[in-house]
Amino acid sequence: MTQYKLEIFEDDSGSWTGLANLGSDIEPETYRVFADSLEELRELVQEGVNGDLEIEGISFEEVFLTKSEATS
């Protein structure tokens, strides 16, 4: 199973974003998920794992960013 880091942060409006690099340094491919709550974000990511991404055997490690880390 391949595990990717999913960087998660909440913006000032209360919206949640999750970003993961599914590609390589040569061919980057960013997976982006936007949601109104952390629970919804997790549900959408799980839908991706269950088949929407069409990539077998993947999982995500949640990494929470501070506001300053997310904007840099």
Side-chain angles (χ1 to χ4, degrees):
M1 179 165 290
T2 303
Q3 187 173 50
Y4 298 96
K5 286 186 180 182
L6 181 69
E7 296 181 338
I8 299 172
F9 57 92
E10 182 181 18
D11 67 19
D12 291 334
S13 71
S15 295
W16 289 82
T17 301
L19 301 171
N21 179 13
L22 303 183
S24 65
D25 290 338
I26 298 169
E27 290 186 43
E29 181 180 337
T30 303
Y31 175 50
R32 293 178 177 91
V33 181
F34 304 99
D36 293 325
S37 68
L38 179 57
E39 180 181 345
E40 180 185 16
L41 181 95
R42 288 178 169 151
E43 289 173 6
L44 293 171
V45 168
Q46 190 58 47
E47 287 176 13
V49 169
N50 291 340
D52 289 348
L53 288 173
E54 299 179 1
I55 302 172
E56 296 285 326
I58 66 168
S59 65
F60 291 98
E61 173 190 359
E62 293 181 350
V63 177
F64 289 88
L65 302 179
T66 63
K67 287 184 183 186
S68 61
E69 289 173 323
T71 58
S72 60

PDB file of all heavy atoms in Angstrom, residues 18-35:
ATOM      1  N   GLY A  18      -7.568  20.005   1.715  1.00  0.00           N
ATOM      2  CA  GLY A  18      -6.598  18.923   1.820  1.00  0.00           C
ATOM      3  C   GLY A  18      -5.825  18.845   0.522  1.00  0.00           C
ATOM      4  O   GLY A  18      -6.417  18.879  -0.560  1.00  0.00           O
ATOM      5  N   LEU A  19      -4.499  18.774   0.605  1.00  0.00           N
ATOM      6  CA  LEU A  19      -3.634  18.702  -0.574  1.00  0.00           C
ATOM      7  C   LEU A  19      -2.665  17.540  -0.429  1.00  0.00           C
ATOM      8  O   LEU A  19      -2.051  17.370   0.630  1.00  0.00           O
ATOM      9  CB  LEU A  19      -2.831  19.994  -0.742  1.00  0.00           C
ATOM     10  CG  LEU A  19      -3.602  21.290  -0.892  1.00  0.00           C
ATOM     11  CD1 LEU A  19      -2.653  22.482  -0.813  1.00  0.00           C
ATOM     12  CD2 LEU A  19      -4.344  21.300  -2.209  1.00  0.00           C
ATOM     13  N   ALA A  20      -2.518  16.775  -1.493  1.00  0.00           N
ATOM     14  CA  ALA A  20      -1.552  15.673  -1.507  1.00  0.00           C
ATOM     15  C   ALA A  20      -0.893  15.617  -2.872  1.00  0.00           C
ATOM     16  O   ALA A  20      -1.546  15.826  -3.901  1.00  0.00           O
ATOM     17  CB  ALA A  20      -2.237  14.351  -1.216  1.00  0.00           C
ATOM     18  N   ASN A  21       0.396  15.338  -2.896  1.00  0.00           N
ATOM     19  CA  ASN A  21       1.121  15.171  -4.150  1.00  0.00           C
ATOM     20  C   ASN A  21       1.108  13.686  -4.505  1.00  0.00           C
ATOM     21  O   ASN A  21       1.765  12.883  -3.845  1.00  0.00           O
ATOM     22  CB  ASN A  21       2.555  15.682  -4.030  1.00  0.00           C
ATOM     23  CG  ASN A  21       3.332  15.495  -5.322  1.00  0.00           C
ATOM     24  OD1 ASN A  21       2.757  15.220  -6.370  1.00  0.00           O
ATOM     25  ND2 ASN A  21       4.625  15.648  -5.262  1.00  0.00           N
ATOM     26  N   LEU A  22       0.353  13.324  -5.528  1.00  0.00           N
ATOM     27  CA  LEU A  22       0.257  11.928  -5.957  1.00  0.00           C
ATOM     28  C   LEU A  22       1.246  11.598  -7.063  1.00  0.00           C
ATOM     29  O   LEU A  22       1.395  10.446  -7.431  1.00  0.00           O
ATOM     30  CB  LEU A  22      -1.163  11.609  -6.447  1.00  0.00           C
ATOM     31  CG  LEU A  22      -2.289  11.858  -5.456  1.00  0.00           C
ATOM     32  CD1 LEU A  22      -3.606  11.420  -6.067  1.00  0.00           C
ATOM     33  CD2 LEU A  22      -2.044  11.161  -4.138  1.00  0.00           C
ATOM     34  N   GLY A  23       1.907  12.602  -7.590  1.00  0.00           N
ATOM     35  CA  GLY A  23       2.849  12.394  -8.679  1.00  0.00           C
ATOM     36  C   GLY A  23       4.272  12.291  -8.170  1.00  0.00           C
ATOM     37  O   GLY A  23       4.536  11.913  -7.033  1.00  0.00           O
ATOM     38  N   SER A  24       5.188  12.672  -9.015  1.00  0.00           N
ATOM     39  CA  SER A  24       6.606  12.656  -8.675  1.00  0.00           C
ATOM     40  C   SER A  24       7.163  14.060  -8.833  1.00  0.00           C
ATOM     41  O   SER A  24       6.459  14.976  -9.254  1.00  0.00           O
ATOM     42  CB  SER A  24       7.347  11.696  -9.601  1.00  0.00           C
ATOM     43  OG  SER A  24       7.301  12.176 -10.934  1.00  0.00           O
ATOM     44  N   ASP A  25       8.436  14.217  -8.512  1.00  0.00           N
ATOM     45  CA  ASP A  25       9.070  15.522  -8.711  1.00  0.00           C
ATOM     46  C   ASP A  25       9.086  15.892 -10.188  1.00  0.00           C
ATOM     47  O   ASP A  25       8.987  17.060 -10.545  1.00  0.00           O
ATOM     48  CB  ASP A  25      10.499  15.516  -8.169  1.00  0.00           C
ATOM     49  CG  ASP A  25      10.528  15.452  -6.650  1.00  0.00           C
ATOM     50  OD1 ASP A  25       9.519  15.817  -6.022  1.00  0.00           O
ATOM     51  OD2 ASP A  25      11.554  15.019  -6.106  1.00  0.00           O
ATOM     52  N   ILE A  26       9.202  14.896 -11.050  1.00  0.00           N
ATOM     53  CA  ILE A  26       9.244  15.130 -12.492  1.00  0.00           C
ATOM     54  C   ILE A  26       7.848  15.431 -13.038  1.00  0.00           C
ATOM     55  O   ILE A  26       7.672  16.328 -13.859  1.00  0.00           O
ATOM     56  CB  ILE A  26       9.854  13.912 -13.221  1.00  0.00           C
ATOM     57  CG1 ILE A  26      11.302  13.723 -12.749  1.00  0.00           C
ATOM     58  CG2 ILE A  26       9.783  14.082 -14.725  1.00  0.00           C
ATOM     59  CD1 ILE A  26      11.920  12.410 -13.185  1.00  0.00           C
ATOM     60  N   GLU A  27       6.852  14.675 -12.572  1.00  0.00           N
ATOM     61  CA  GLU A  27       5.474  14.863 -13.028  1.00  0.00           C
ATOM     62  C   GLU A  27       4.556  15.042 -11.815  1.00  0.00           C
ATOM     63  O   GLU A  27       3.889  14.105 -11.400  1.00  0.00           O
ATOM     64  CB  GLU A  27       5.010  13.664 -13.853  1.00  0.00           C
ATOM     65  CG  GLU A  27       5.685  13.547 -15.192  1.00  0.00           C
ATOM     66  CD  GLU A  27       5.085  12.429 -16.030  1.00  0.00           C
ATOM     67  OE1 GLU A  27       3.852  12.312 -16.061  1.00  0.00           O
ATOM     68  OE2 GLU A  27       5.863  11.690 -16.629  1.00  0.00           O
ATOM     69  N   PRO A  28       4.526  16.237 -11.239  1.00  0.00           N
ATOM     70  CA  PRO A  28       3.668  16.452 -10.069  1.00  0.00           C
ATOM     71  C   PRO A  28       2.189  16.360 -10.430  1.00  0.00           C
ATOM     72  O   PRO A  28       1.769  16.775 -11.501  1.00  0.00           O
ATOM     73  CB  PRO A  28       4.041  17.857  -9.598  1.00  0.00           C
ATOM     74  CG  PRO A  28       4.688  18.508 -10.751  1.00  0.00           C
ATOM     75  CD  PRO A  28       5.244  17.429 -11.633  1.00  0.00           C
ATOM     76  N   GLU A  29       1.435  15.757  -9.538  1.00  0.00           N
ATOM     77  CA  GLU A  29      -0.016  15.657  -9.706  1.00  0.00           C
ATOM     78  C   GLU A  29      -0.632  15.901  -8.339  1.00  0.00           C
ATOM     79  O   GLU A  29      -0.529  15.061  -7.447  1.00  0.00           O
ATOM     80  CB  GLU A  29      -0.422  14.288 -10.232  1.00  0.00           C
ATOM     81  CG  GLU A  29      -1.900  14.151 -10.447  1.00  0.00           C
ATOM     82  CD  GLU A  29      -2.293  12.780 -10.972  1.00  0.00           C
ATOM     83  OE1 GLU A  29      -1.469  12.091 -11.554  1.00  0.00           O
ATOM     84  OE2 GLU A  29      -3.460  12.423 -10.767  1.00  0.00           O
ATOM     85  N   THR A  30      -1.252  17.054  -8.155  1.00  0.00           N
ATOM     86  CA  THR A  30      -1.800  17.426  -6.858  1.00  0.00           C
ATOM     87  C   THR A  30      -3.250  16.986  -6.748  1.00  0.00           C
ATOM     88  O   THR A  30      -4.057  17.239  -7.630  1.00  0.00           O
ATOM     89  CB  THR A  30      -1.706  18.946  -6.645  1.00  0.00           C
ATOM     90  OG1 THR A  30      -0.339  19.347  -6.780  1.00  0.00           O
ATOM     91  CG2 THR A  30      -2.187  19.327  -5.265  1.00  0.00           C
ATOM     92  N   TYR A  31      -3.550  16.318  -5.652  1.00  0.00           N
ATOM     93  CA  TYR A  31      -4.916  15.927  -5.307  1.00  0.00           C
ATOM     94  C   TYR A  31      -5.436  16.986  -4.341  1.00  0.00           C
ATOM     95  O   TYR A  31      -4.847  17.220  -3.292  1.00  0.00           O
ATOM     96  CB  TYR A  31      -4.890  14.542  -4.662  1.00  0.00           C
ATOM     97  CG  TYR A  31      -6.215  14.038  -4.149  1.00  0.00           C
ATOM     98  CD1 TYR A  31      -7.355  14.051  -4.947  1.00  0.00           C
ATOM     99  CD2 TYR A  31      -6.332  13.516  -2.869  1.00  0.00           C
ATOM    100  CE1 TYR A  31      -8.565  13.567  -4.483  1.00  0.00           C
ATOM    101  CE2 TYR A  31      -7.526  13.021  -2.389  1.00  0.00           C
ATOM    102  CZ  TYR A  31      -8.642  13.048  -3.203  1.00  0.00           C
ATOM    103  OH  TYR A  31      -9.844  12.571  -2.745  1.00  0.00           O
ATOM    104  N   ARG A  32      -6.514  17.653  -4.712  1.00  0.00           N
ATOM    105  CA  ARG A  32      -7.079  18.736  -3.907  1.00  0.00           C
ATOM    106  C   ARG A  32      -8.502  18.375  -3.486  1.00  0.00           C
ATOM    107  O   ARG A  32      -9.301  17.940  -4.320  1.00  0.00           O
ATOM    108  CB  ARG A  32      -7.130  20.034  -4.705  1.00  0.00           C
ATOM    109  CG  ARG A  32      -5.798  20.614  -5.043  1.00  0.00           C
ATOM    110  CD  ARG A  32      -5.969  21.886  -5.891  1.00  0.00           C
ATOM    111  NE  ARG A  32      -4.702  22.514  -6.171  1.00  0.00           N
ATOM    112  CZ  ARG A  32      -3.953  22.255  -7.231  1.00  0.00           C
ATOM    113  NH1 ARG A  32      -4.362  21.374  -8.126  1.00  0.00           N
ATOM    114  NH2 ARG A  32      -2.797  22.875  -7.401  1.00  0.00           N
ATOM    115  N   VAL A  33      -8.779  18.605  -2.220  1.00  0.00           N
ATOM    116  CA  VAL A  33     -10.121  18.361  -1.693  1.00  0.00           C
ATOM    117  C   VAL A  33     -10.531  19.600  -0.909  1.00  0.00           C
ATOM    118  O   VAL A  33      -9.763  20.104  -0.083  1.00  0.00           O
ATOM    119  CB  VAL A  33     -10.137  17.127  -0.767  1.00  0.00           C
ATOM    120  CG1 VAL A  33     -11.530  16.871  -0.247  1.00  0.00           C
ATOM    121  CG2 VAL A  33      -9.610  15.896  -1.494  1.00  0.00           C
ATOM    122  N   PHE A  34     -11.728  20.095  -1.170  1.00  0.00           N
ATOM    123  CA  PHE A  34     -12.255  21.266  -0.492  1.00  0.00           C
ATOM    124  C   PHE A  34     -13.558  20.878   0.196  1.00  0.00           C
ATOM    125  O   PHE A  34     -14.379  20.177  -0.403  1.00  0.00           O
ATOM    126  CB  PHE A  34     -12.526  22.407  -1.481  1.00  0.00           C
ATOM    127  CG  PHE A  34     -11.316  22.787  -2.282  1.00  0.00           C
ATOM    128  CD1 PHE A  34     -11.148  22.309  -3.575  1.00  0.00           C
ATOM    129  CD2 PHE A  34     -10.343  23.611  -1.748  1.00  0.00           C
ATOM    130  CE1 PHE A  34     -10.029  22.659  -4.322  1.00  0.00           C
ATOM    131  CE2 PHE A  34      -9.224  23.965  -2.482  1.00  0.00           C
ATOM    132  CZ  PHE A  34      -9.068  23.480  -3.768  1.00  0.00           C
ATOM    133  N   ALA A  35     -13.750  21.342   1.443  1.00  0.00           N
ATOM    134  CA  ALA A  35     -14.956  20.981   2.185  1.00  0.00           C
ATOM    135  C   ALA A  35     -15.310  22.074   3.185  1.00  0.00           C
ATOM    136  O   ALA A  35     -14.499  22.947   3.490  1.00  0.00           O
ATOM    137  CB  ALA A  35     -14.728  19.664   2.911  1.00  0.00           C
TER     138      ALA A  35
END
